[in-house]
Each structure stands twice: as structure tokens, then as C-alpha cells.
Amino acid sequence: MHQRQVDEMTTVRAGVVPTQRAALYSVLGILATVAVCGSFVVSFGVHRVFTGLLAGAVVGVALLAALFTRDAVVLTDYAIYRRKPWTMSSISWDRVVAGRFTLDERARWSLALDLSGGDEPHGELVLLSIPPVVRPVAGAYDLRKRDQVTEIRAILRRKRIPVTVLPQIAGALQEHWQIAPPAH
């Protein structure tokens, strides 16, 4: 399926960029900044180093934004698409066994799908990893994460995917973000 077709469907963006890929993207952003700054210094002399740094920072940030934006999991009514800057693969909803909202190894809340078959590590696809919710929505980050939880929950409900939520997570989501616990 072409990228334009994926974007035109009803979609929910999710996904967690693994630490190794985030480090690679950061290195690429720094290299882009250094390359542009170096080009300015070579072309215009040492007195243009600050102009080079500014131009390099703009290019580096733009590159980082492009890489992190492209690296995502997109849930549609037809399939789950895992996008990376250089590839896109799809996972059929038939492979999704269940979902779970639990604590991960870093004490963050992790919303993941358990998958049957395939090449995913441990047969799971992590959709969201957020710090524990301990207060009402306090800014844009909290609002976006609350919206993501709501959107992911809605599509999983439509697909009739059972989701297990730890009681302390369900309680905090209901108390602070007004997200009702899943119906059984």
C-alpha cells in the first residue's frame, strides 16, 4: 500500500522509537549540523562560524524532526503499519492476540500488543510508553498522550482486541485523565 493511501485512512499514530535508533538519529542530526557549519566556515571564513552554527542547527533539527516523525506505528482499520524512515511493513490485525497496559522495565507505563508469529521481539509491538500519570493534564505532552491512549483504546475496542490493564494504571487514568476503565 502506498504512503498516500495509508495517510488517507482513519489512522492512529503510536509507536516507541528504540534507544539505539534514537541514538542513530541524534548522531545524524549532529553530523548534519557539523557538516553545514563546516561548509559555512570553509566557504565564508571563520568569522561566519555562528551563522554556520545557526544554519546547521536548523538543518539538524529539521532532519531529526523528519526522522522521528517518520518512525511510527500507524494503526488503521485494515492493518497495522510499522514505519521507519527507510521502510514500511504491515501487520495483519489477525495476528494480534491481546493488548496490555503494564509497567515496563524502566517503570514507565507501556501499552503493547501481543502478536502471534512474525519477527517482532518477544512477539510484541509497543504502541506507547509514558511516565506514570500522577496529576491531571498539565500541558501539551500530557494532552497528546491522553489523546493517544483514547484513540488506541477506541481502535482496539472496534477490533475487539482484549486489553489487560493493571489496576493502578486503570485507577490513575480514571482519576487524573478521566479515562474510564475498559468494559469487560
Side-chain angles (χ1 to χ4, degrees), residues 26-97:
S26 298
V27 168
L28 291 174
I30 291 168
L31 289 175
T33 302
V34 169
V36 170
C37 181
S39 298
F40 266 78
V41 170
V42 168
S43 299
F44 302 110
V46 176
H47 61 283
R48 290 293 179 190
V49 71
F50 292 110
T51 305
L53 280 173
L54 180 62
V58 168
V59 169
V61 168
L63 177 63
L64 285 173
L67 290 171
F68 278 101
T69 299
R70 178 71 181 145
D71 199 317
V73 174
V74 179
L75 304 153
T76 70
D77 287 329
Y78 305 105
I80 302 166
Y81 297 94
R82 186 178 354 184
R83 298 185 334 186
K84 296 177 188 166
W86 47 89
T87 63
M88 183 169 76
S89 60
S90 66
I91 299 169
S92 168
W93 279 107
D94 296 339
R95 291 191 44 216
V96 179
V97 177

Side-chain angles (χ1 to χ4, degrees), residues 57 143 149 176 180:
L143 183 61
V149 168
H176 300 301

